[in-house]
Amino acid sequence: MRALVTGGAGFIGSHIVQRLADTGHDVVVLDNFLTGKRENLAGISGVRIVEDDVRDPKAVEASAAGCEVIFHEAAIVSVPSSVERPQESHDVNIQGTLNVLQAARVARVRRVVFASSAAIYGEEPTLPKVESMRPEPISPYGVEKITSEHYLATWSKLFGVETVALRYFNVFGPRQDPSSPYSGVISVFVDRVLAGKPITFFGDGTQSRDFVFVGNVVDANILAATKRGVSGGVFNIACGARTTLVELATLIERAAGRTVARSVAPARAGDIKDSVADIDRARAELGYAPKVDVEDGLRQLVDHVRASR
Ligand code: UD1
């Protein structure tokens, strides 16, 4: 098949591109290279790269032509940046999704698989998070992801575009960029531990997340693109296990074979306290199973970062 991957030069997108290309599919990448990197696609053959923006409907429409599936990964992925610059986040994360759905309609794309987020659960205190819970986002980012999900479900009902939303929990792995103040915590901690630099907990470090290795997320995307009878669905994608930041730091230190100093700083605005997924629906309906657990994933990541230095 031919697939479009928006944000295909980014962290998660590039891993999806790699899997598709490795399994013989034609891939079109649409990326504005603001956070995506050409080096993330180096050595992957059979990929057409379009340098343009999901905010431009014409660019999305042109990239979608002839594609059977769109994996919509392009986004501003940071909760705090959505709090600081909500308009920009809105434009990319909501208008971008609408443009993808419109392009899918015009280009007669069979299915759109969307990168949604655990951030949609927000303040809902019950753990684990189940898809049937009422979304209560506490950040613009969470609002943008749940709004996008509503657009997907509506396009599927109104126009017959098949859609699947995958609610990613905290994804980590090679190619996640540690260099921005908004970078994912694992990329930052691994980078700092390997460099022997101190790490900081925003809050007291007792907050918890369901960290999921990127390879598992790629598996989920392939299933979501191909499984029959799941259109209009939303699925948690995680490991179903909860790790506090303090535990995470210790696991990373163990994988790296060294310890570093730890400090605390004020908690971030819009931050949720605890997050862990119920993944029964994804298991039952998509056939998803996380093959790599957090410790294995951390070991793979530490080895990768060490080798690439
Ligand atoms: C992350 C993703 C978001 C995804 C969501 C799903 C990133 C950048 N964000 O948001 O796209 O939709 O999971 O659950 O990947 N922290 C520290 N010290 C640091 C960095 C972070 O204590 O140096 C803390 C944060 O305050 C937060 C936790 O670590 O409590 C996780 O932060 P982060 O990795 O940015 O992820 P989320 O905000 O959960």
Side-chain angles (χ1 to χ4, degrees), residues 77-80 116-119 141 168-171 176 182-186 188-189 200-202 207 209 211 245 268 271-272 275:
V77 299
S78 158
V79 172
S116 186
S117 167
Y141 178 79
Y168 301 162
F169 282 62
N170 287 59
V171 188
Q176 191 172 27
Y182 304 127
S183 295
V185 64
I186 289 188
V188 175
F189 281 8
T200 303
F201 300 123
F202 300 136
Q207 68 264 51
R209 295 291 187 273
F211 295 103
L245 288 198
R268 295 195 307 206
D271 222 17
I272 55 178
S275 175

Side-chain angles (χ1 to χ4, degrees), residues 9-302:
F11 162 46
I12 300 173
S14 65
H15 284 279
I16 296 173
V17 171
Q18 183 157 32
R19 177 79 62 86
L20 289 168
D22 287 351
T23 48
H25 300 293
D26 289 336
V27 189
V28 181
V29 165
L30 174 66
D31 203 297
N32 63 6
F33 292 96
L34 280 184
T35 53
K37 296 194 187 102
R38 281 183 193 276
E39 69 207 50
N40 286 345
L41 298 170
I44 308 177
S45 51
V47 178
R48 183 163 75 86
I49 298 174
V50 179
E51 184 167 349
D52 221 317
D53 202 295
V54 282
R55 283 169 288 193
D56 177 355
K58 291 281 167 235
V60 185
E61 214 178 292
S63 321
C67 290
E68 191 184 333
V69 175
I70 301 177
F71 297 89
H72 179 35
E73 310 300 308
I76 296 183
V77 299
S78 158
V79 172
S81 99
S82 81
V83 175
E84 284 157 29
R85 291 191 297 281
Q87 185 65 57
E88 186 189 5
S89 188
H90 174 103
D91 290 346
V92 174
N93 293 350
I94 295 184
Q95 187 63 48
T97 302
L98 183 58
N99 291 343
V100 163
L101 288 168
Q102 279 292 62
R105 201 180 144 199
V106 172
R108 299 186 177 280
V109 170
R110 179 175 56 80
R111 187 172 291 185
V112 175
V113 180
F114 169 61
S116 186
S117 167
I120 67 106
Y121 294 111
E123 226 154 30
E124 159 60 59
T126 319
L127 295 176
K129 309 294 186 193
V130 184
E131 291 89 341
S132 55
M133 283 173 179
R134 187 183 136 88
E136 292 190 42
I138 54 168
S139 63
Y141 178 79
V143 171
E144 292 151 13
K145 290 295 182 182
I146 193 66
T147 304
S148 292
E149 284 191 13
H150 287 308
Y151 267 126
L152 254 73
T154 306
W155 252 243
S156 136
K157 283 182 200 130
L158 281 180
F159 307 115
V161 178
E162 294 182 2
T163 65
V164 178
L166 300 179
R167 292 179 177 166
Y168 301 162
F169 282 62
N170 287 59
V171 188
F172 72 97
R175 301 190 199 133
Q176 191 172 27
D177 182 1
S179 65
S180 122
Y182 304 127
S183 295
V185 64
I186 289 188
S187 67
V188 175
F189 281 8
V190 167
D191 189 57
R192 297 191 70 85
V193 169
L194 285 177
K197 293 183 183 157
I199 55 171
T200 303
F201 300 123
F202 300 136
D204 59 5
T206 61
Q207 68 264 51
S208 59
R209 295 291 187 273
D210 192 335
F211 295 103
V212 55
F213 190 65
V214 66
N216 299 332
V217 172
V218 174
D219 293 344
N221 272 275
I222 302 302
L223 291 164
T226 48
K227 206 86 187 162
R228 286 174 189 272
V230 294
S231 179
V234 300
F235 299 94
N236 288 340
I237 301 301
C239 281
R242 187 173 158 198
T243 308
T244 67
L245 288 198
V246 172
E247 289 165 346
L248 174 71
T250 302
L251 290 175
I252 292 173
E253 287 175 338
R254 199 178 294 154
R258 71 187 300 174
T259 57
V260 295
R262 301 174 181 196
S263 65
V264 291
R268 295 195 307 206
D271 222 17
I272 55 178
K273 175 75 171 78
D274 296 302
S275 175
V276 62
D278 178 314
I279 56 172
D280 285 355
R281 187 188 283 183
R283 282 188 195 278
E285 293 184 31
L286 291 179
Y288 165 77
K291 291 190 195 125
V292 179
D293 68 15
V294 175
E295 287 192 60
D296 279 348
L298 287 174
R299 274 192 289 270
Q300 287 189 41
L301 176 60
V302 165

